[in-house]
Amino acid sequence: MKLLINKKKKKLYNDSINHDINTNEGLIRKDDFNSQKEIITTHKGVSFLKLEPDFKELFHNIKRGPQIITLKDAYFISAQLGLMNKFNVLDCGGGSGALTCVFANIVGDKGRVVSVEREARFVKIIKDNVSMFKFKNVEVFEGDLNDYKSRKKFDAANLDVPNPWDYIKQIINLLKNGSALTVYVPNTTQLTVMGEKAKDSNLFLENVYEIIQREWDVYGSVCHPKFKILGHTGFVMVFKKLEGV
């Protein structure tokens, strides 16, 4: 894909187009877009920079089925899991594959991400989004996590399901000792139930977080927070598998 961007607008297009594009800023001619030009100018004289889109730009273009996890939560989860290059990571409750793609981008070609999703319609969306990013390090498992078998233990895992406590035993079996688990839940009922159910297991609850994102406007010497705040989206529970201690 290609990104056209200027100071007022940006939009993603396919790598090449087979017809001229009509925009509010004017006509983008097919031959200009498909050329090696870095600056594309419409017939109204409005110029755009043509770029290869980065991960963030592509992320905003992913297909959606169920509600996707936000970047503010996705990268916080990744940090709490301590993800590194070559990590073997499990993402259960794949949904639209947003978090799966964030994980795949971090662990790199030598890493591996297994995305577990029960709904066939969502599995297709995950695969489509993985394909858009051209990731080759993602395996999608259609089914229940308790039915998933792996010869290799995982370095980290995330659970984003309505009933994460039903998978405590399985997640302990799949994780390396000392590895991190994050559990993403939207409400306090799930939060408290998961905390109680994990007490008698080898999962030690290190912390619980709620991430609030607030943007600011800056105009010369004047600055103030924007009125729109990206507030509660979910709680992030951070566990560590501690067996034998």
Side-chain angles (χ1 to χ4, degrees):
M1 301 190 80
K2 292 291 186 291
L3 174 69
L4 292 187
I5 183 171
N6 61 21
K7 292 178 181 179
K8 294 183 179 180
K9 190 175 182 179
K10 58 184 176 181
K11 188 172 181 181
L12 283 169
Y13 294 94
N14 290 329
D15 282 324
S16 62
I17 57 176
N18 54 20
H19 56 79
D20 296 342
I21 302 172
N22 282 301
T23 72
N24 290 335
E25 291 75 24
L27 189 72
I28 299 173
R29 302 204 176 277
K30 175 187 70 172
D31 292 342
D32 287 339
F33 184 93
N34 293 337
S35 72
Q36 298 301 312
K37 292 179 180 178
E38 186 178 65
I39 304 297
I40 307 296
T41 303
T42 72
H43 84 285
K44 291 183 178 179
V46 179
S47 295
F48 288 89
L49 180 62
K50 185 174 73 171
L51 300 171
E52 294 288 339
D54 58 21
F55 180 86
K56 185 180 77 169
E57 301 296 348
L58 287 172
F59 185 89
H60 293 308
N61 198 54
I62 65 173
K63 291 183 179 179
R64 298 178 181 229
Q67 178 66 37
I68 68 167
I69 196 164
T70 60
L71 282 178
K72 77 175 176 69
D73 290 332
Y75 278 106
F76 183 82
I77 288 171
S78 301
Q80 292 301 313
L81 290 175
L83 297 191
M84 298 177 67
N85 189 36
K86 302 181 182 179
F87 260 40
N88 185 36
V89 187
L90 176 68
D91 180 24
C92 180
S96 296
L99 190 59
T100 291
C101 291
V102 170
F103 287 170
N105 190 52
I106 293 173
V107 302
D109 293 338
K110 294 184 179 179
R112 172 175 169 256
V113 179
V114 175
S115 185
V116 178
E117 174 53 55
R118 297 176 62 175
E119 296 282 344
R121 57 193 172 132
F122 298 156
V123 167
K124 183 181 184 306
I125 295 173
I126 295 171
K127 290 180 177 179
D128 287 345
N129 285 328
V130 167
S131 177
M132 180 188 71
F133 282 102
K134 301 179 181 178
F135 289 135
K136 304 296 183 184
N137 58 348
V138 175
E139 171 191 329
V140 182
F141 175 79
E142 182 181 338
D144 190 85
L145 179 62
N146 284 328
D147 297 325
Y148 176 74
K149 293 178 176 60
S150 176
R151 296 179 182 178
K152 186 178 180 182
K153 296 222 179 239
F154 289 91
D155 298 297
N158 178 74
L159 285 175
D160 182 3
V161 293
N163 53 332
W165 46 86
D166 289 339
Y167 301 100
I168 290 175
K169 183 177 178 180
Q170 173 71 332
I171 208 74
I172 289 173
N173 290 334
L174 291 171
L175 274 176
K176 293 179 180 178
N177 201 15
S179 294
L181 164 72
T182 51
V183 179
Y184 188 72
V185 292
N187 63 61
T188 55
T189 301
Q190 293 167 301
L191 184 68
T192 53
V193 172
M194 182 61 191
E196 284 298 311
K197 297 283 188 181
K199 274 185 177 179
D200 297 325
S201 74
N202 291 321
L203 294 177
F204 172 67
L205 180 58
E206 291 188 316
N207 245 318
V208 179
Y209 300 94
E210 180 188 25
I211 313 303
I212 307 297
Q213 179 177 305
R214 183 171 72 173
E215 296 181 28
W216 280 65
D217 282 323
V218 179
Y219 304 102
S221 60
V222 177
C223 61
H224 58 79
K226 291 186 176 181
F227 298 112
K228 186 177 180 181
I229 296 176
L230 183 55
H232 176 81
T233 45
F235 297 102
V236 180
M237 307 179 76
V238 183
F239 294 88
K240 188 79 80 173
K241 177 182 174 181
L242 297 176
E243 190 173 336
V245 294

